[in-house]
């Protein structure tokens, strides 16, 4: 989603490769699809360490790690069944991770840099539902996943830049107040 990211946050590189093979599920696209949620797990683990160090809420991060790990297994199985199966698993992941990301973003909305996360969670939820619907169509393809991955990457980049800037400001304020980032 998580939760700073959700499915789709890999960015343009994965998007381009998925678009290149959008009508077929070949070994390259299947591998990318299975690796993709593992990338989300890794990012959530890094975010978990940061949130734990700042004594922030982490329940959503644990949920994101579990969802993404289950999705990895689901996509590995679905890749052998074909594009509709992949779209169903990816869609379910996007909906659930998007809802978690949205909830965490709303909970943390007072913190700087969270609005891109809220928007990304809402978009993931809607896009996930559209993937599930698309899976039922005769001409189901992976092309929509490519655009989704690109858009997710843009939101992830905007959020990361805003959070980085906020951290620098908080760090400067913290050092001016005796070193504690929250002025303690």
């Amino acid at each position: 989603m998580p939760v700073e990211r959700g499915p789709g946050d890999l960015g343009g590189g994965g998007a381009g490769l998925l678009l290149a093979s959008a009508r077929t599920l070949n070994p390259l696209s299947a591998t990318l699809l299975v690796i993709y949620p593992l990338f989300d797990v890794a990012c959530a683990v890094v975010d978990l360490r940061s949130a734990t160090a700042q004594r922030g809420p982490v329940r959503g991060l644990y949920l994101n790690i579990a969802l993404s790990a289950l999705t990895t297994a689901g996509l590995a199985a679905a890749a052998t069944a074909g594009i509709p199966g992949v779209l169903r698993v990816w869609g379910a992941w996007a909906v659930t991770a998007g809802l978690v990301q949205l909830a965490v973003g709303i909970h943390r909305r007072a913190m700087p840099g969270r609005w891109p996360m809220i928007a990304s969670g809402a978009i993931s939820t809607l896009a996930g539902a559209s993937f599930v619907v698309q899976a039922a169509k005769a001409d189901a393809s992976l092309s929509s996943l490519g655009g989704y991955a690109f858009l997710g990457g843009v939101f992830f980049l905007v959020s990361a830049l805003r959070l980085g800037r906020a951290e620098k400001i908080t760090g400067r304020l913290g050092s001016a107040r005796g070193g504690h980032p929250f002025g303690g």
Side-chain angles (χ1 to χ4, degrees), residues 80-151:
T80 64
I83 289 175
V86 167
L87 288 170
R88 284 185 197 96
V89 171
W90 194 284
W93 180 38
V95 167
T96 55
L99 288 172
V100 171
Q101 184 177 7
L102 185 59
V104 171
I106 290 170
H107 178 71
R108 297 180 183 176
R109 70 186 172 277
M111 297 171 68
R114 299 301 176 202
W115 290 105
M117 184 172 104
I118 291 169
S120 180
I123 290 169
S124 284
T125 302
L126 295 173
S130 75
F131 298 146
V132 172
V133 169
Q134 183 186 3
K137 295 181 179 179
D139 63 340
S141 77
L142 299 177
S143 61
S144 58
L145 295 183
Y148 174 72
F150 178 78
L151 183 59

Side-chain angles (χ1 to χ4, degrees), residues 11 22-23 36 50-51 57 78 91 94 96 105 123 127 163 183:
R23 295 262 176 233
Y36 199 105
S50 173
T96 55
I123 290 169
L163 289 170

